[in-house]
Structures are given as structure tokens and as C-alpha cells.
């Protein structure tokens, strides 16, 4: 038990500092995000709506600030030990730098697990509720190119379907459908929502796996040779050759999908013989996020054990923040390179992590030799 006294002391110091840094950055971001939302206040988008939107977006903010928070927390936790000469005593007692750093990394693993859990189980649902608030208030009249597009050809006829939003239970948001004949628009339909109609396996096999939704709030325009007819109706049927879960995957932004959903999206794209670099990049960045956090803790430790050990804690904190920003910018840059050039998203997601880990190990090795 005595052998655990020192590790527990270092772990507790690092854990408290990391928790304080992560929560502090998280709360500051939420406050500033809420103030930014006040510019969108209107008769349909109230202060309460803005507050609910920020609360639903809070898991996203938490995930975004966990890497920087753990970096900052590691610097503060180990820096306080260095200021009281406790690290010098540990080193004099024969403790290696990497052994002390490994103790500081254990609390970082806790935040890695939290980040992965929020990404997998909380973030998709929370972002879905946040998007619903926006869709029902300030963005319901804006035009967007996001969503799912389907184009079916039948001889000289074309059937174009656009779905703006889909949830994981088969519900649809706004649906638009355009029917063309010989390149001329003959019918335009707009529905406010849609509900999936489950069918038996026998019916699905007979229809070659075609799935149906019941649309509601339908406005339809028929364009004839001499006149245009407009009608409003309820209960029309929409049939697609794609499952509701796949529609959900194809209408979501990469940051709104969990790790398992991103993997399912990747498999769906491979089955269709295509790919989405944005979704692949998001998948690898989320999958490798634990290594990103640990590499930043390694860099943070080099600030404490390196040439800055005689400097004040304030300078270490400033350098930690600058390093966190640099890592974030480098991650964004490599992501843009992957999207612009088509380079491997896995390789581009690894570059910032490898560079960060190599820099931390180089600085630590210089001081441990």
C-alpha cells in the first residue's frame, strides 16, 4: 500500500487540475456561445430557445475542449508540484521522468473515456435536439443543400427526391420531390414531414427492398402544357430503395454522428462504390482522439520537466494554451489537406498526433539524459 502513496498523490493532483481546466473552458465556451446566440433572437427564437439550444450543444463543446483542458490541467497539476520542489524530490528518490508522466496520464484516460462515451451515446441525440430547435425557429425558411438526394431514372422520366432531415427512428423532416419528363419539370411536391411505414419481410422481398414513408402537409404543383395546377393534400406515400437507418446516416453532418454511425456510413459508402472524405476524416479523428489527448499530456509534461522548470506557472499555462491552439490548428489544416487533395484521412488524422508525441518525447529525453 505504501508504494501507492506517491502515485495516488500525483494522480490526484493531475486529476483535480484537469477537471478544473476542462470544466472551466467548457463553461466559458457555453457563456460565449449563448451571448453569440442573442444576435438571432426574434419573435420565433426566444431567449429560452437560445438557452435550450446551447444546453443541447454543450456535449459538443465538452468534447471539443477535453484535449486542451487535459493539456492545461497536466501543466497546472505537475507545475504546482514543481513549484513546491516535489518533482525534484521524486527525481532525487530515483523516480524516472516517464514514470511520473505515466501517473499524470492516468487521469487523462478518464477524460478519454468520457469523450468517447459522449461522442457515442450523448452527442448524436443532443445535436439532433439542437438542430430541431433551429429548424422550428430561425432556420425553417432558409434554403440548404445538405440532406439526402435521390435521382431515379425510368426511361426519359426522372424522379428527384430531396430529404432535409431524418432521425434514427425513420421520421423525416421537409421532403421535396420533382418529376421530370424529357428534361421538363411536370410535378413539384413539398411535404412538411414523413413517417416510416414498417412492412413485413415478405412484402419487402416482393418489392425488392423498397421502403415507404407516409408524407403529411403536402403542397403539390402540376405543370401542364397550358396551365399550372396547385393542390394541398395529406397522406401521400414516398417509396425509396434505401432503409430508414441509411437515410438517417446520409442526412447527418459528420460531427453529429457517433463513432459507430460513422463506421456504418463508411460501410454504406463502400457498398455503393463511393466514399465521403468528410465522414472518413471525422471517423478517424474520433477514433484516434484518445491518442491525441495522451500526446498532449506528454507535451505538457515536457513543459514542467524541461528548460521551463525554473519559470513561473503563469508562463507554463500560457505556453500550454498556445500549444493547444497550435494542435487544434494543425488538426484542422491536415483535415483540409485530406479533403482538398484526397490524401488518406487516416494518415492526415495521425500527423498531428505523431508530431505532438515526437515533440514531447524529444523534450523529455533531452532532460532525462
Amino acid at each position: 500500500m505504501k508504494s501507492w502513496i506517491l502515485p495516488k498523490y500525483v494522480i490526484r493532483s493531475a486529476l483535480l487540475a484537469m477537471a478544473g481546466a476542462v470544466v472551466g473552458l467548457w463553461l466559458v465556451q457555453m457563456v460565449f456561445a449563448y451571448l453569440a446566440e442573442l444576435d438571432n433572437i426574434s419573435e420565433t427564437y426566444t431567449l429560452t430557445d437560445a438557452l435550450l439550444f446551447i444546453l443541447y450543444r454543450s456535449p459538443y463543446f465538452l468534447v471539443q475542449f477535453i484535449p486542451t483542458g487535459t493539456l492545461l490541467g497536466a501543466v497546472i497539476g505537475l507545475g504546482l508540484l514543481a513549484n513546491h520542489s516535489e518533482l525534484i524530490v521524486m527525481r532525487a528518490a530515483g523516480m524516472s521522468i516517464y514514470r511520473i508522466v505515466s501517473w499524470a496520464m492516468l487521469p487523462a484516460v478518464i477524460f478519454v473515456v468520457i469523450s468517447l462515451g459522449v461522442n457515442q451515446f450523448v452527442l448524436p441525440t443532443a445535436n439532433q435536439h439542437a438542430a430541431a430547435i433551429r429548424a422550428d425557429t430561425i432556420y425553417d425558411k432558409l434554403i440548404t443543400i445538405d440532406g439526402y438526394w435521390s435521382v431515379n431514372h425510368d426511361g426519359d422520366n426522372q424522379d428527384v427526391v430531396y430529404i432535409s432531415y431524418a432521425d434514427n427512428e425513420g421520421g423525416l423532416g421537409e421532403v421535396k420531390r420533382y418529376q421530370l419528363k424529357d428534361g421538363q419539370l411536370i410535378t413539384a411536391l413539398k411535404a412538411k414531414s414523413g413517417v416510416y411505414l414498417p412492412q413485413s419481410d415478405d412484402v419487402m422481398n416482393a418489392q425488392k427492398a423498397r421502403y415507404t414513408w407516409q408524407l403529411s402537409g403536402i403542397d403539390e404543383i402540376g405543370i401542364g402544357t397550358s396551365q399550372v395546377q396547385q393542390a394541398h393534400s395529406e397522406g401521400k406515400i414516398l417509396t425509396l430503395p434505401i432503409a430508414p437507418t441509411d437515410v438517417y446516416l446520409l442526412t447527418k453532418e459528420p460531427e453529429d454522428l457517433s463513432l459507430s454511425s460513422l463506421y456504418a456510413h463508411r460501410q454504406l459508402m463502400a457498398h455503393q462504390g463511393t466514399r465521403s472524405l468528410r465522414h472518413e476524416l471525422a471517423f478517424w479523428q474520433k477514433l484516434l482522439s484518445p491518442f491525441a489527448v495522451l500526446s498532449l499530456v506528454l507535451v505538457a509534461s515536457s513543459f514542467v520537466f524541461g528548460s521551463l522548470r525554473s519559470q513561473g506557472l503563469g508562463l507554463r499555462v500560457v505556453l500550454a494554451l498556445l500549444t493547444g491552439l497550435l494542435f487544434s490548428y494543425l488538426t484542422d489544416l491536415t483535415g483540409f489537406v485530406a479533403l482538398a487533395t484526397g490524401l488518406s484521412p487516416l494518415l492526415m488524422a495521425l500527423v498531428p498526433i505523431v508530431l505532438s508525441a515526437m515533440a514531447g518525447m524529444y523534450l523529455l529525453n533531452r532532460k532525462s539524459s
Side-chain angles (χ1 to χ4, degrees):
M1 292 298 294
K2 290 183 179 180
S3 61
W4 276 98
I5 294 178
L6 192 56
K8 286 173 63 177
Y9 181 71
V10 176
I11 291 171
R12 185 182 63 180
S13 299
L15 177 61
L16 292 177
M18 288 180 185
V22 170
V23 173
L25 292 173
W26 182 33
L27 294 178
V28 169
Q29 174 60 28
M30 289 178 61
V31 170
F32 279 104
Y34 181 71
L35 294 177
E37 282 298 306
L38 296 182
D39 291 337
N40 298 320
I41 297 300
S42 64
E43 293 182 358
T44 58
Y45 190 64
T46 65
L47 290 171
T48 302
D49 292 327
L51 180 60
L52 286 175
F53 175 78
I54 295 301
L55 290 177
Y56 282 127
R57 289 289 286 172
S58 61
Y60 173 77
F61 298 143
L62 175 62
V63 171
Q64 290 297 104
F65 279 101
I66 279 181
T68 304
T70 53
L71 167 67
L72 186 60
V75 170
I76 294 175
L78 293 177
L80 290 174
L81 296 179
N83 285 351
H84 294 90
S85 300
E86 291 170 296
L87 292 183
I88 296 176
V89 173
M90 295 180 196
R91 295 281 287 131
M95 300 293 178
S96 67
I97 288 180
Y98 284 104
R99 189 174 184 182
I100 299 174
V101 171
S102 67
W103 296 338
M105 280 188 173
L106 290 178
V109 175
I110 298 176
F111 290 97
V112 165
V113 173
I114 292 174
S115 178
L116 292 175
V118 171
N119 261 316
Q120 178 65 31
F121 302 108
V122 180
L123 193 59
T125 303
N127 282 351
Q128 180 175 313
H129 287 300
I133 293 175
R134 284 290 186 88
D136 292 339
T137 54
I138 62 176
Y139 288 146
D140 56 325
K141 296 182 180 179
L142 295 183
I143 299 174
T144 176
I145 61 173
D146 297 329
Y148 167 70
W149 289 91
S150 172
V151 181
N152 297 315
H153 296 270
D154 183 12
D156 295 331
N157 299 331
Q158 283 184 316
D159 186 17
V160 182
V161 176
Y162 165 71
I163 299 173
S164 63
Y165 165 82
D167 59 31
N168 53 8
E169 297 178 354
L172 302 181
E174 185 180 70
V175 178
K176 296 179 181 179
R177 185 174 190 174
Y178 307 95
Q179 293 179 315
L180 298 89
K181 184 175 183 180
D182 298 326
Q184 300 294 321
L185 181 65
I186 59 174
T187 303
L189 177 149
K190 178 181 177 182
K192 291 184 177 180
S193 61
V195 178
Y196 175 63
L197 301 177
Q199 301 182 55
S200 65
D201 293 338
D202 294 337
V203 174
M204 293 294 289
N205 293 330
Q207 295 182 351
K208 296 182 180 180
R210 297 189 66 85
Y211 304 84
T212 59
W213 284 261
Q214 181 172 342
L215 304 180
S216 59
I218 303 166
D219 292 313
E220 187 173 6
I221 296 178
I223 303 175
T225 56
S226 59
Q227 61 181 351
V228 176
Q229 297 179 339
Q230 184 174 359
H232 180 82
S233 61
E234 299 285 343
K236 283 206 169 189
I237 298 298
L238 172 68
T239 303
L240 295 173
I242 187 170
T245 52
D246 295 337
V247 177
Y248 166 75
L249 294 176
L250 294 173
T251 56
K252 290 297 179 183
E253 291 294 315
E255 59 269 18
D256 293 337
L257 292 174
S258 65
L259 191 60
S260 60
S261 295
L262 285 170
Y263 179 77
H265 184 280
R266 188 178 176 213
Q267 296 298 102
L268 176 62
M269 292 289 99
H271 179 72
Q272 295 181 348
T274 185
R275 63 188 303 194
S276 171
L277 288 176
R278 292 179 60 220
H279 288 79
E280 288 186 31
L281 180 64
F283 171 76
W284 288 117
Q285 286 179 340
K286 289 187 178 183
L287 184 64
L288 298 174
S289 60
F291 301 100
V293 172
L294 296 179
S295 69
L296 287 175
V297 174
L298 199 62
V299 173
S301 302
S302 70
F303 292 159
V304 178
F305 290 102
S307 59
L308 297 175
R309 62 184 181 275
S310 60
Q311 302 296 332
L313 182 59
L315 179 59
R316 294 173 182 150
V317 170
V318 171
L319 287 175
L321 290 174
L322 292 177
T323 302
L325 288 174
L326 179 61
F327 183 86
S328 177
Y329 293 150
L330 183 59
T331 301
D332 292 340
L333 177 61
T334 54
F336 291 145
V337 170
L339 297 178
T341 64
L343 290 175
S344 169
L346 170 59
L347 177 62
M348 291 295 100
L350 278 171
V351 167
I353 299 173
V354 172
L355 291 178
S356 176
M358 289 177 61
M361 292 181 66
Y362 171 75
L363 294 173
L364 286 176
N365 285 334
R366 285 187 60 188
K367 297 307 168 182
S368 62
S369 59

